[in-house]
Amino acid sequence: MGNRSELTFTGSHTMTTIAPKTILIVEDEPDVARLATIYLEKEGFRTVYAKTGEEGFQLTRSERPDMILLDLMPPEMDGLELCKKIRSLRETASLPVILLTTKTEEPDTIIGLALGADDYVTKPFTPKSLAARVNALFRRLDRTTGAPQAAYSFGPLVLDRSRHEVINDGQEITLTAKEFGLLEHLLQNPGRILTRDVLLNAVWGYDYFGTTRTVDVHIRRLKQKLPLLNEAIVGVKSLGYKLIEPLPRH
């Protein structure tokens, strides 16, 4: 597992080598890990494998992967604890994390989202659905990174798309990819009711199937990190959310 391959483009005077994105798979079931590895490498990704949570944490710091597929129950350190540790470190705080769960782990899945996971895939999964989730999350990150320079403000809060940073009262706030995407979409549409399906399609980047509860979890986490949004982001019953435009300062 995890052989590195590179794509090389040549021109009349230059040669550029682009290394594939690296995905760390933290999974103690060999068959699941093998299936994920085979199909992700077919998609052109490089994979790294860890069988335990502790090993996964060490590889996160040494390999600096572009994304983590994280089983909820690996030995030594469970997925919830590992997710929490990843989000606590500045150098890995924004690292995309997709949980690998079973249907019986739904409460833990919600906790995992609350701790900072960006998405989840239910086992047993099909290779097609796993690849779709991974590619969708990378597309979202690429769109944000490659977006033209633009900034949105909300009172003392400033979101800078070109730098992918959020500043509140002069202090930088660390957000996950999904939290940043949700905040960006809300700031782009002040005063407009955004349904959960609209937010899922806009931020997750694909036609989401399953519960929309993940939006509620991410909105709640966004409010925890940015208390000035507690009353500004209003839930609209049975629909979604709306960002109330701030009153002008006098």
Side-chain angles (χ1 to χ4, degrees):
M1 295 185 185
N3 295 326
R4 179 182 288 274
S5 59
E6 296 182 340
L7 304 176
T8 302
F9 299 90
T10 59
S12 56
H13 301 289
T14 61
M15 180 174 71
T16 303
T17 301
I18 303 174
K21 288 184 171 66
T22 298
I23 299 177
L24 170 61
I25 303 169
V26 183
E27 170 62 67
D28 65 330
E29 296 182 43
D31 290 342
V32 175
R34 189 177 302 112
L35 180 67
T37 296
I38 290 172
Y39 282 93
L40 289 174
E41 292 190 347
K42 280 186 178 180
E43 291 285 315
F45 299 111
R46 171 181 177 254
T47 62
V48 182
Y49 173 58
K51 191 173 182 179
T52 70
E54 182 60 40
E55 183 184 2
F57 181 65
Q58 297 303 324
L59 285 175
T60 298
R61 306 194 72 179
S62 62
E63 290 284 338
R64 302 301 294 270
D66 299 286
M67 181 182 292
I68 299 179
L69 296 185
L70 175 58
D71 179 47
L72 268 178
M73 298 300 293
E76 295 185 9
M77 181 192 305
D78 67 36
L80 298 181
E81 184 180 354
L82 178 53
C83 190
K84 187 175 181 180
K85 291 187 72 169
I86 290 170
R87 290 291 177 245
S88 69
L89 299 177
R90 185 176 181 84
E91 63 268 25
T92 58
S94 298
L95 184 62
V97 175
I98 296 179
L99 298 176
L100 300 177
T101 75
T102 66
K103 290 183 178 179
T104 58
E105 294 169 334
E106 184 176 354
D108 287 337
T109 301
I110 300 302
I111 295 173
L113 292 172
L115 289 174
D118 294 284
D119 203 351
Y120 69 94
V121 175
T122 302
K123 296 186 288 187
F125 52 80
T126 64
K128 184 177 179 180
S129 66
L130 177 63
R133 296 291 181 97
V134 169
N135 282 312
L137 185 50
F138 274 133
R139 281 197 302 271
R140 172 63 195 172
L141 293 171
D142 290 342
R143 282 201 301 271
T144 303
T145 302
Q149 290 192 8
Y152 298 93
S153 61
F154 187 89
L157 176 68
V158 177
L159 180 146
D160 189 323
R161 292 196 303 175
S162 63
R163 297 186 178 186
H164 198 83
E165 67 180 17
V166 173
I167 306 294
N168 183 40
D169 269 337
Q171 180 181 357
E172 183 175 356
I173 306 298
T174 300
L175 300 181
T176 67
K178 287 296 186 292
E179 292 166 356
F180 188 94
L182 278 173
L183 179 59
E184 178 184 350
H185 206 67
L186 288 165
L187 291 174
Q188 287 174 337
N189 299 276
R192 177 185 171 191
I193 296 175
L194 301 172
T195 67
R196 290 174 176 83
D197 287 334
V198 164
L199 289 170
L200 283 167
N201 290 331
V203 177
W204 273 251
Y206 56 91
D207 292 329
Y208 190 82
F209 58 91
T211 178
T212 57
R213 192 186 306 179
T214 184
V215 173
D216 301 329
V217 172
H218 282 78
I219 289 288
R220 184 165 64 248
R221 196 168 68 222
L222 191 59
K223 289 183 175 184
Q224 290 172 349
K225 291 185 177 181
L226 294 164
L228 83 163
L229 298 178
N230 279 334
E231 296 182 3
I233 299 178
V234 177
V236 181
K237 188 175 181 180
S238 303
L239 289 175
Y241 293 92
K242 178 174 68 172
L243 179 69
I244 298 177
E245 297 181 81
L247 295 174
R249 295 183 176 182
H250 296 289

